[in-house]
Amino acid sequence: MIRSPRGTNDILPAEISKWHYLESAIRKVTTQFGYSEIRTPIFESTEVFARSIGDSSDIVNKEMYTFFDRGENSITLRPEMTAALVRACIQNSLANRGELERLWYYGPFFRYERPQKGRFRQFHQFGAECLSSPNPEADAEVILLAHSLISDLGINDYLLNINSLGNNASRDRYRDSLVEYFSKYKNDLSEDSLRRLTTNPLRILDSKDIKDNKIIEDAPQIIDSLDDESKKHFDYVINLLESVNVAYNVSSKLVRGLDYYSHTVFEFQSSALGSQDSFGGGGRYDGLFEQLGGKFTPAVGFALGVERVLLILDSLNKSEKENKIDIQIIIGDERYINSGFNISNVLRKQGLNVLIDIQRKSFKSQMKDANKNNANYVIILAEREMNDNAVVLKNMLNGEQQTIATDKIDTIKNFIK
Ligand code: HAM
């Protein structure tokens, strides 16, 4: 048997209603907030991600699906959307003259990670990005959008961790103070953290190593390195969140794994997920447009991991059953296949969802199938009625039956609820 590649999932018909449920909630909330959908290619030139996410990040270092195509171009399957979206905006002159753009996206992403619960090599994200506003209102708006979606889905038990990395000057100051602090512990730090001390000291704060954690506990806090402008921005975001009753937790060690952030960063965390407990994250990335060759364009956004959101919904036992079959046509004899086919066609044209047997099953098994398919009604083509050019319409819920002339089939829509 040929199996799907490790870390990928088939989404089977039995699970698809959950996905549809989430997808329609996404459409609803993005419409309410006035965001427009954008779709970009699944693969990009490697430099889109290499130049933005950061050379020292795990994603660029060890997780990208990168290959040379037949034209010797270095291609990467997108590991995230923000950089790809910025590339698309620059190329298509969106947000080019400071126009506000509110965008959202949904689709598959690829990271070569060690698969485990909630962590896959192909996974899906829903995200929203607000371009051209430097103001804290934009940060608060995208957070509120995410919060609204999460609440609409019935997820109330989660944590929004939030922090500020400040502007470039604040972040540089903080980096220096971290290097100074961690350098004192060079002999005790884990190998990874020691490497990060030169490549990306902020990421040491993300370490899961127990020994590192002890040292990290007393590390300088970024809040002390923020200048007035950065502090004001962060306070404003917090203030706006409070005014719409979005609960948050200021988490001074939150730095996120991508290099393009400045000012606000945030993550959504749920205890239903186990070790991969972050089901979404985002932040402000005011420098990214310029980094990718565009004009200065302040921007902020987030992405939620779809599989992780669905795992949380599973833990809440939220099951969304889609009952989609209005009518199942039961063919009493092979002589009536043509009529059945015709009736199904007429009814579908009226907007009804209609199933018809194509396996030439017995009457009894067709009725069984109708039950299994949760059909609300069946139309039975049986000899007695067909001789009178009629069919039987049966309500599967209460068992009521009525006879309907075949030339009145198009009135059936009026009988069924
Ligand atoms: P990220 O934190 O790398 O941020 O990913 C966002 C979410 O995608 C994670 O919180 C997680 O739920 C999900 N995710 C990431 N990797 C995997 C995986 N291997 N398997 C399953 N789910 C995964 C970003 O991607 C940024 N682009 C977010 C952003 C948007 N920042 C600003 N705008």
Side-chain angles (χ1 to χ4, degrees):
M1 184 181 32
I2 305 173
R3 302 190 67 88
S4 63
R6 198 162 121 79
T8 68
N9 296 301
D10 298 312
I11 303 163
L12 299 174
E15 300 156 81
I16 203 72
S17 55
K18 287 194 302 198
W19 289 74
H20 289 165
Y21 170 64
L22 175 56
E23 287 157 14
S24 62
I26 287 170
R27 279 177 201 288
K28 184 178 148 231
V29 79
T30 48
T31 308
Q32 285 182 319
F33 277 77
Y35 280 63
S36 306
E37 186 179 1
I38 182 166
R39 299 182 187 179
T40 64
I42 300 286
F43 59 85
E44 295 277 350
S45 296
T46 299
E47 61 177 331
V48 168
F49 305 110
R51 266 167 59 177
S52 57
I53 299 172
D55 286 346
S56 61
S57 69
D58 283 350
I59 298 180
V60 171
N61 249 326
K62 40 187 185 189
E63 295 171 2
M64 294 211 299
Y65 278 90
T66 297
F67 57 93
F68 284 96
D69 69 9
R70 288 172 195 271
E72 296 297 307
N73 309 298
S74 181
I75 295 292
T76 294
L77 301 186
R78 58 185 193 181
E80 63 107 42
M81 185 68 174
T82 311
L85 179 141
V86 168
R87 192 274 308 142
C89 286
I90 296 171
Q91 187 175 335
N92 297 288
S93 306
L94 295 183
N96 189 32
R97 293 202 188 85
E99 311 92 334
L100 194 73
E101 290 286 348
R102 294 181 159 107
L103 303 172
W104 69 273
Y105 50 87
Y106 175 89
F109 294 86
F110 308 87
R111 294 183 193 176
Y112 191 82
E113 293 196 77
R114 197 169 46 76
Q116 64 182 83
K117 183 182 173 193
R119 190 162 72 188
F120 309 104
R121 290 181 176 173
Q122 175 173 328
F123 60 98
H124 296 74
Q125 280 185 352
F126 155 66
E129 314 285 349
C130 181
L131 314 179
S132 294
S133 169
N135 298 325
E137 295 91 298
D139 310 42
E141 178 173 287
V142 295
I143 294 174
L144 182 60
L145 194 163
H147 169 82
S148 303
L149 173 68
I150 298 164
S151 314
D152 284 356
L153 293 169
I155 301 171
N156 300 312
D157 187 15
Y158 79 90
L159 204 60
L160 164 62
N161 291 313
I162 187 166
N163 193 18
S164 173
L165 302 178
N167 55 16
N168 287 347
S170 301
R171 198 157 69 150
D172 289 348
R173 221 178 2 257
Y174 184 52
R175 188 179 293 121
D176 291 345
S177 65
L178 281 182
V179 171
E180 195 187 316
Y181 172 79
F182 285 122
S183 296
K184 290 188 286 193
Y185 299 96
K186 267 186 174 160
N187 298 332
D188 307 305
L189 284 172
S190 69
E191 211 176 298
D192 264 352
S193 292
L194 199 57
R195 190 170 38 80
R196 285 180 172 147
L197 191 57
T198 45
T199 58
N200 193 347
L202 265 71
R203 288 297 312 283
I204 298 179
L205 301 176
D206 261 354
S207 169
K208 300 246 159 25
D209 186 279
I210 304 171
K211 254 175 47 194
D212 283 353
N213 280 340
K214 276 232 158 64
I215 304 169
I216 291 166
E217 261 172 34
D218 295 326
Q221 308 250 330
I222 185 133
I223 214 89
D224 300 324
S225 301
L226 295 185
D227 59 16
D228 284 348
E229 180 216 336
S230 305
K231 258 201 204 107
K232 213 168 131 197
H233 185 97
F234 190 50
D235 288 345
Y236 216 127
V237 175
I238 296 286
N239 195 273
L240 285 166
L241 292 179
E242 283 179 359
S243 69
V244 286
N245 292 323
V246 172
Y248 61 87
N249 167 49
V250 175
S251 167
S252 59
K253 306 247 154 58
L254 179 68
V255 290
R256 310 258 308 127
L258 305 102
D259 273 3
Y260 49 60
Y261 293 116
S262 55
H263 289 288
T264 319
V265 287
F266 53 92
E267 254 174 35
F268 299 95
Q269 195 186 347
S270 163
S271 56
L273 289 172
S275 69
Q276 298 304 310
D277 60 356
S278 163
F279 64 95
R284 182 164 274 286
Y285 49 94
D286 290 348
L288 188 52
F289 271 76
E290 284 173 306
Q291 232 172 307
L292 287 172
K295 293 184 192 151
F296 171 71
T297 308
V300 59
F302 70 87
L304 298 185
V306 172
E307 284 81 357
R308 294 189 190 173
V309 172
L310 293 178
L311 277 171
I312 301 173
L313 289 179
D314 282 347
S315 75
L316 298 176
N317 276 327
K318 278 210 162 282
S319 71
E320 288 300 315
K321 226 183 168 49
E322 287 176 336
N323 188 6
K324 287 192 292 200
I325 299 304
D326 297 311
I327 298 180
Q328 180 139 354
I329 300 199
I330 310 288
I331 315 261
D333 187 282
E334 286 181 18
R335 282 173 295 162
Y336 309 139
I337 289 176
N338 270 8
S339 307
F341 228 67
N342 190 267
I343 291 171
S344 66
N345 194 35
V346 170
L347 294 175
R348 285 192 197 112
K349 276 191 181 155
Q350 296 200 312
L352 294 170
N353 304 332
V354 183
L355 271 185
I356 182 167
D357 170 56
I358 50 173
Q359 290 171 288
R360 304 199 175 182
K361 286 186 172 175
S362 71
F363 179 85
K364 215 169 137 190
S365 353
Q366 288 183 59
M367 286 303 285
K368 257 196 202 156
D369 282 352
N371 265 321
K372 205 174 79 192
N373 295 328
N374 273 326
N376 293 326
Y377 288 82
V378 292
I379 286 179
I380 303 168
L381 279 62
E383 184 159 16
R384 196 160 54 131
E385 286 78 14
M386 287 299 279
N387 284 342
D388 294 337
N389 291 320
V391 296
V392 174
L393 175 70
K394 178 175 177 183
N395 182 326
M396 294 295 277
L397 273 180
N398 60 17
E400 273 171 21
Q401 298 197 10
Q402 53 193 312
T403 306
I404 291 168
T406 39
D407 61 358
K408 292 273 183 319
I409 286 293
D410 57 353
T411 65
I412 277 189
K413 211 170 164 214
N414 307 325
F415 295 107
I416 72 171
K417 293 161 201 106

